[in-house]
Every structure is written in structure tokens, then in C-alpha cells.
Amino acid sequence: MSAFVKAARFVGDLDDEFYADELQRDIWNEASAVGFQALLWIGLITGAILPFAAGVTGAWVALGIYLALNVVAFVVLGYARARGIDMYTAQELRRVRIGLAAVLLVVSGGGAAIRLLAHYGGGGLGSLSIGAVFGASLGFAAAVVGVRLHQRKQRETERAAEEAEALGFESNE
């Protein structure tokens, strides 16, 4: 068991005797998922509003919320992956709720960045616009590369599984 999984089990208190009862554990896991999703949506909506409603202070708070939500999301995804479940392949990602969450993340992070750059940047709106275009282009390119690499890794994994299955069938004949 990796150090990450051990730490996650400690944080989640997963070795408590409470989890010995299967039904109790299932209900608690569902309740935790609902709580995580509620926290996520509250954070996304709040983070998207704050830079525009509360100025620079709101942008700093939104940035903190943005970072905290991303850390928690990556911990959840990392724990699932460490336990053998890749959420990127286990579910359909092209859903309205995921698109809405992505938009709110962009508005939250982008709104905070724009508000803070406008306040502290000193370079004027022209420099901010150039920086935003460059940053958005770079971010988009990185996202495209990441998606392509993930798709290639997924195809290679599927191909290796098919080859292993084919070899297994040949040896049984």
C-alpha cells in the first residue's frame, strides 16, 4: 500500500470499526459523495461570484477556494486511481454537469486572475489582454496535449489487454 493510500485512509478514518458493517459503510459513502458534491458546487458558485462581487478581496478568497477545490478533487481522483479505478475511463465525461462545473472553474480562476492582475499588474489593460490571450492559448494547448496523451495511454492499455486476452485464449486451446 502506497504512502498516499495510507495517508488517505488515515485522513478518511477508513480503518474505524464503523466501516465493518457493509450497509452502514455504503450509506456513509453515498452521504460523503453527496456532501462532496454539495461542497464542490457551493465552492464553484461562490468562487465564480466573489471576484466580481467583492473586488480584490473577493478575488483572493475565490483563488483560495479554487485551489482548495482542485486539491480535493485531485485527492479524490488520485485515491480512486490508486485503488484501481480511473474515473476518466469509468464514466462518460461529456455531461452537462461536468461542462457547467468546468465553466464555473474557468470563471472562478479566470475572474480571480483578471481581477488580481488588473489590480496589481500595473501594466494596464493592454498588457493584461495580451497576457490573458497568451495564457489562455498556452492553457488550451496544454489541455489538448494532456487529453491526447491520456487517450493514447488508454488505447495502449486496451491494446495490451486485448493482446493478453488473445494469448490467454491461444494457450487454452
Side-chain angles (χ1 to χ4, degrees):
M1 188 179 317
S2 72
F4 172 73
V5 171
K6 286 180 184 175
R9 292 188 66 78
F10 175 77
V11 169
D13 198 20
L14 300 181
D15 295 321
D16 189 272
E17 64 186 47
F18 171 85
Y19 290 103
D21 181 272
E22 189 78 26
L23 178 61
Q24 198 166 282
R25 181 176 64 230
D26 284 347
I27 292 171
W28 182 254
N29 287 340
E30 287 179 6
S32 296
V34 169
F36 170 70
Q37 290 295 321
L39 180 64
L40 179 68
W41 285 105
I42 289 168
L44 287 170
I45 293 166
T46 303
I49 293 171
L50 279 172
F52 305 102
V56 173
T57 301
W60 281 113
V61 174
L63 189 60
I65 291 170
Y66 177 83
L67 293 174
L69 290 178
N70 278 292
V71 167
V72 170
F74 281 109
V75 167
V76 169
L77 293 170
Y79 184 79
R81 182 170 286 167
R83 299 297 310 263
I85 297 175
D86 183 355
M87 293 307 295
Y88 296 109
T89 59
Q91 67 175 336
E92 177 59 45
L93 295 178
R94 287 181 231 136
R95 299 185 328 202
V96 173
R97 66 182 281 120
I98 292 176
L100 180 58
V103 167
L104 288 171
L105 269 174
V106 169
V107 170
S108 175
I114 289 170
R115 175 68 75 172
L116 293 173
L117 286 172
H119 183 75
Y120 296 110
L125 197 52
S127 297
L128 178 64
S129 299
I130 293 169
V133 168
F134 179 74
S137 301
L138 188 61
F140 180 74
V144 168
V145 169
V147 167
R148 298 285 171 135
L149 289 174
H150 178 74
Q151 289 173 339
R152 181 173 6 140
K153 181 180 176 185
Q154 186 178 358
R155 282 193 304 271
E156 290 172 0
T157 301
E158 290 171 359
R159 189 176 308 120
E162 289 172 0
E163 289 174 2
E165 185 177 332
L167 290 174
F169 286 131
E170 289 175 9
S171 64
N172 289 335
E173 293 177 355

